[in-house]
Amino acid sequence: DSGVTQTPKHLITATGQRVTLRCSPRSGDLSVYWYQQSLDQGLQFLIQYYNGEERAKGNILERFSAQQFPDLHSELNLSSLELGDSALYFCASSVSPGGDSPLHFGNGTRLTVT
Amino acid sequence: QQQVKQSPQSLIVQKGGISIINCAYENTAFDYFPWYQQFPGKGPALLIAIRPDVSEKKEGRFTISFNKSAKQFSLHIMDSQPGDSATYFCAAGGATSGTYKYIFGTGTRLKVLA
């Protein structure tokens, strides 16, 4: 168990809808990362937060947004959903935003858009 | 320059054999090279990692070989077991544009035959 908690585990919704994915990092970790994993694809970096502030952006669509709250949990909001947004969404956390601490991943949220 | 190229895409090995997965990178700013193991329905879990100041790191049956001049690194799984059947991701971490980022390879699906 990595200590990173993601909810919900599964989400099925229709095109055009909006969903929120939640992540609680490991105790003591200040940095949160969001990744998207499509079928047979690698992990695509979406966005990173550190201690409540956005730190880095990757290939995140404008329809997607995220935030990290004072208690350090993070939410990823996906809106105007399209079929192509169906994927596994992973949250990872680390102690610091640099390379001196590894990433620890949650078990993901599987999003299915119908 | 931000890519990490991973091969092969899939690998089948007999029990007791050696599994070898290769990765190559271009950005010399990368300074941390972890490998992650992912079982179906789970998030990636850190397996072993290396920094460029050493050429090899061994942890049990898992060894990373690192060639800084060739910008390549590989994972060797000795005495491969059916329980090693999983998807393996290499990654490279480094500071680019003022932030530290992790770039993942596309993954290798390993199947170890009993």
Side-chain angles (χ1 to χ4, degrees):
Chain A
D1 183 9
S2 68
V4 178
T5 304
Q6 287 188 249
T7 57
K9 282 188 176 181
H10 302 278
L11 203 47
I12 301 174
T13 189
T15 54
Q17 295 298 305
R18 172 190 167 96
V19 297
T20 297
L21 282 52
R22 183 188 168 100
C23 169
S24 293
R26 286 191 330 160
S27 177
D29 284 359
L30 300 178
S31 198
V32 169
Y33 304 73
W34 286 98
Y35 285 85
Q36 180 192 56
Q37 184 178 39
S38 301
L39 189 64
D40 290 333
Q41 294 291 313
L43 293 154
Q44 299 297 316
F45 170 64
L46 296 178
I47 198 164
Q48 178 199 359
Y49 282 83
Y50 175 69
N51 206 18
E53 293 195 3
E54 182 183 303
R55 186 82 176 187
K57 259 185 175 179
N59 301 323
I60 188 166
L61 300 172
E62 284 192 12
R63 300 183 285 108
F64 296 1
S65 65
Q67 54 183 327
Q68 186 180 28
F69 295 86
D71 67 352
L72 301 177
H73 91 273
S74 178
E75 292 181 357
L76 179 66
N77 301 296
L78 315 177
S79 61
S80 302
L81 285 168
E82 302 175 359
L83 294 177
D85 297 328
S86 295
L88 267 168
Y89 291 85
F90 286 104
C91 167
S93 72
S94 66
V95 172
S96 69
D100 53 349
S101 60
L103 300 185
H104 298 271
F105 285 83
N107 285 330
T109 292
R110 181 175 294 279
L111 173 66
T112 302
V113 182
T114 61
Chain B
Q1 233 196 358
Q2 292 281 11
Q3 278 188 323
V4 175
K5 295 181 180 179
Q6 183 172 348
S7 63
Q9 192 173 9
S10 62
L11 183 60
I12 299 176
V13 173
Q14 293 288 336
K15 179 182 174 182
I18 302 173
S19 304
I20 301 174
I21 305 170
N22 301 298
C23 283
Y25 64 98
E26 294 182 359
N27 191 340
T28 55
F30 290 140
D31 62 3
Y32 180 64
F33 302 89
W35 285 89
Y36 284 83
Q37 179 188 55
Q38 184 181 25
F39 292 106
K42 298 290 187 182
L46 180 65
L47 189 62
I48 187 173
I50 197 168
R51 295 197 183 271
D53 53 342
V54 296
S55 60
E56 186 175 282
K57 183 173 181 180
K58 184 175 180 179
E59 288 183 4
R61 297 183 293 109
F62 300 92
T63 300
I64 299 180
S65 296
F66 185 81
N67 186 329
K68 189 174 181 179
S69 60
K71 290 187 267 186
Q72 295 174 348
F73 58 110
S74 59
L75 176 69
H76 296 235
I77 306 175
M78 312 300 286
D79 187 26
S80 298
Q81 299 296 311
D84 297 330
S85 297
T87 300
Y88 292 81
F89 292 95
C90 64
T96 58
S97 306
T99 58
Y100 198 93
K101 294 178 182 173
Y102 291 90
I103 307 297
F104 283 81
T106 51
T108 295
R109 191 170 292 178
L110 170 66
K111 186 178 176 91
V112 181
L113 302 176

